[in-house]
Amino acid sequence: MLTGVIAGAVFTSPAVGSILAAIRAMAQAGTVGTLLIVKNYTGDRLNFGLAREQARAEGIPVEMVVVGDDSAFTVLKKAGRRGLCGTVLIHKVAGALAEAGVGLEEITDRVSVVAKAMGTLGVSLSSCSVPGSKPTFELSADEVELGLGIHGEAGVRRIKMATADEIVALMLDHMTSSSNASHVPVPPGSSVVLMVNNLGGLSFLELGIIADAAVCSLEGRGVKIARALVGTFMSALEMPGVSLTLLLVDEPLLKLIDAETTASAWPNVAKVWVTGRKRSRAAPTEPLAAPDSTTAAGEASKQMVLVLEWVCTTLLGLEEHLNALDRAAGDGDCGTTHSRAARAIQGWLKEGPPPASPAQLLSKLSFLLLEKMGGSSGALYGLFLTAAAQPLKAKTDLPAWSAAMDAGLEAMQKYGKAAPGDRTMLDSLWAAGQELQAWKSPGANMLQILTKAVKSAEAAAEATKNMEAGAGRASYISSARLDQPDPGAVAAAAILRAILEVLQSQGA
């Protein structure tokens, strides 16, 4: 890209002496000539122009290209279009041509043509502030500035705040409208390079949202996007805004855009077209389970529905309590996360009866929670249920259920890295699991042992308030602030209690 750069003060053209020094340095390095790439501002034209004339008087070959890519003005003024982010594309094309050994005059001619085939438009939520000065203009909280420059100057129009899609559509309409004297003509079928430029104060996430909106809007207009360059290319200090640049391209020009460069901020994008590329795909569907057809299976399914419904009701009722417990040790959303899982299960139950096979039921619940619940809780419950389903594929007697509990706990410890006593949901489940070992003995009473398991789980949950967190988000919090039970442990114990209450009411 560029071989040299001359910096002035903030938003000020560099002095003639600095520009001339850079030209002389290039000549001393053995170049056959120098091309000055200048953004169209009066101070830049004057200072670079004077430096060029002085250098030529010294016998140094120097050419100059003035870039004006601003598409903000509907009526052109004598000063012409301002030089904005599209200038960076001229740097790229000129640098690629120079690297390929093209002569100075030909480079000048070719980039002059390229400069006329592009347009840029900026939009911002507020102005920027020159160090030591106040903001250059003021905006109301519900206003957006359209068509501003890169030196903090106000734009050509103020519009009401809107969604990213709406703002981008308005920008593209303004940039490409034939009624706009500074427009860039982009009819359907055109091929363009899209540049989404951070004016200084946006996150990369926000840039991505704007880029997606721009790609979708352009493709909706029948425009083909050859490349999408997203990043900070030409900022205006800390201005929280973005500019869009459209450059009409053909294959020879695209090769220059794609040419290798060591410029550190140039994005290393794939050299394939954005338009026509599949950017997302549907999630694979899970394997269909064999239907249950026996009467016994139907009765078991009804019981499962009652259990799941009561578990969901219990968790929804605990939402605020769990959130309150979580505010002390986490981000206050444990109850919300469990409620999200409960609503997902309720919605699933409305679609039809769940599978009566315990292994299929736990596997389905695992898929559902992994997809809908979110957070570490969703992953841990998903792990637990996936592992617990495996021992139940062959048998569904009490020893198999105890083995299922063991398998689930082992998976949680393996991947979650928590252990009993670490003040997590594992404490409740582990305590219950120890009691359920009795199911492996001949003649074990299911409800009596389950009752003891639930009481142990509740006691373990209560005991977590006296533990020092060894895993999970709470492990980063000072133990002096942890004087309430762990919300995950409380939720796990409440789930076990809900299961017990339904089974007791059914006389299981």
Side-chain angles (χ1 to χ4, degrees), residues 432-456:
Q434 298 311 294
E435 296 293 344
L436 295 182
Q437 296 295 319
W439 275 352
K440 296 175 182 176
S441 302
N445 184 294
M446 184 191 75
L447 281 180
Q448 286 182 358
I449 294 171
L450 183 57
T451 301
K452 289 180 65 178
V454 171
K455 289 180 179 178
S456 292

Side-chain angles (χ1 to χ4, degrees), residues 316-475:
L316 290 170
L318 284 172
E319 180 174 2
E320 184 48 45
H321 176 59
L322 294 175
N323 280 344
L325 293 176
D326 194 32
R327 289 187 194 105
D331 49 5
D333 68 346
C334 181
T336 303
T337 301
H338 282 78
S339 290
R340 188 160 54 241
R343 293 187 181 95
I345 294 171
Q346 287 177 332
W348 172 56
L349 291 176
K350 290 178 181 178
E351 296 173 4
S357 161
Q360 291 178 11
L361 176 73
L362 297 188
S363 294
K364 178 60 183 178
L365 285 173
S366 172
F367 277 115
L368 190 66
L369 296 185
L370 287 171
E371 182 181 358
K372 302 292 186 181
M373 187 175 185
S376 57
S377 296
L380 287 168
Y381 279 119
L383 276 168
F384 179 87
L385 292 169
T386 298
Q390 306 314 307
L392 297 171
K393 288 181 176 178
K395 294 182 179 180
T396 58
D397 55 10
L398 288 181
W401 278 102
S402 179
M405 188 72 168
D406 294 341
L409 291 169
E410 181 182 353
M412 289 179 73
Q413 290 183 87
K414 179 179 180 181
Y415 294 103
K417 297 298 182 183
D422 279 345
R423 199 182 193 277
T424 70
M425 62 189 290
L426 181 68
D427 288 300
S428 295
L429 295 173
W430 180 266
Q434 298 311 294
E435 296 293 344
L436 295 182
Q437 296 295 319
W439 275 352
K440 296 175 182 176
S441 302
N445 184 294
M446 184 191 75
L447 281 180
Q448 286 182 358
I449 294 171
L450 183 57
T451 301
K452 289 180 65 178
V454 171
K455 289 180 179 178
S456 292
E458 291 172 337
E462 183 65 19
T464 57
K465 70 180 181 181
N466 300 316
M467 295 178 184
E468 182 173 346
R473 189 169 289 159
S475 63

Side-chain angles (χ1 to χ4, degrees), residues 481-497:
R481 290 178 52 192
L482 301 176
D483 57 358
Q484 296 293 320
D486 177 72
V490 171
I495 291 170
L496 293 173
R497 168 64 67 181

Side-chain angles (χ1 to χ4, degrees), residues 86 88-97 107 109-118 191-194 226-227 229 246-260 266 271 273:
V88 177
L89 292 172
I90 300 301
H91 295 165
K92 183 67 180 66
V93 171
L97 288 169
I107 293 175
D109 292 341
R110 288 178 67 174
V111 297
S112 296
V113 172
V114 173
K116 293 180 174 65
M118 68 180 176
S191 299
V192 301
V193 166
L194 166 67
R227 304 288 185 271
L229 310 173
L246 299 178
L247 169 64
L248 291 159
V249 292
D250 54 18
E251 282 302 325
L253 181 53
L254 198 54
K255 286 182 179 179
L256 297 173
I257 297 292
D258 285 341
E260 296 296 325
W266 184 259
K271 296 173 183 177
W273 286 63

Side-chain angles (χ1 to χ4, degrees), residues 86-255:
T87 310
V88 177
L89 292 172
I90 300 301
H91 295 165
K92 183 67 180 66
V93 171
L97 288 169
E99 194 71 17
V102 177
L104 177 60
E105 289 188 6
E106 185 181 345
I107 293 175
T108 304
D109 292 341
R110 288 178 67 174
V111 297
S112 296
V113 172
V114 173
K116 293 180 174 65
M118 68 180 176
T120 298
L121 188 67
V123 66
S124 183
L125 301 173
S126 72
S127 70
C128 61
S129 300
V130 175
S133 301
K134 294 181 179 180
T136 50
F137 60 86
E138 298 287 344
L139 279 173
S140 300
D142 63 343
E143 287 183 322
V144 176
E145 190 83 5
L146 183 71
L148 38 82
I150 55 170
H151 303 128
E153 66 269 39
V156 296
R157 187 174 156 200
R158 288 188 180 177
I159 57 177
K160 288 296 181 182
M161 184 74 72
T163 66
D165 289 339
E166 291 168 337
I167 294 291
V168 166
L170 189 149
M171 292 175 73
L172 293 174
D173 286 343
H174 188 93
M175 293 173 68
T176 61
S177 172
S178 58
S179 63
N180 175 3
S182 62
H183 78 287
V184 54
V186 186
S190 301
S191 299
V192 301
V193 166
L194 166 67
M195 180 174 273
V196 182
N197 172 56
N198 182 7
L199 287 174
L202 295 188
S203 67
F204 204 81
L205 174 64
E206 291 166 311
L207 284 183
I209 292 170
I210 296 292
D212 179 66
V215 167
C216 293
S217 184
L218 285 168
E219 290 182 339
R221 298 162 190 250
V223 177
K224 293 177 285 187
I225 303 167
R227 304 288 185 271
L229 310 173
V230 184
T232 303
F233 303 101
M234 188 175 289
S235 61
L237 300 177
E238 86 290 16
M239 184 179 285
V242 63
S243 67
L244 299 179
T245 300
L246 299 178
L247 169 64
L248 291 159
V249 292
D250 54 18
E251 282 302 325
L253 181 53
L254 198 54
K255 286 182 179 179

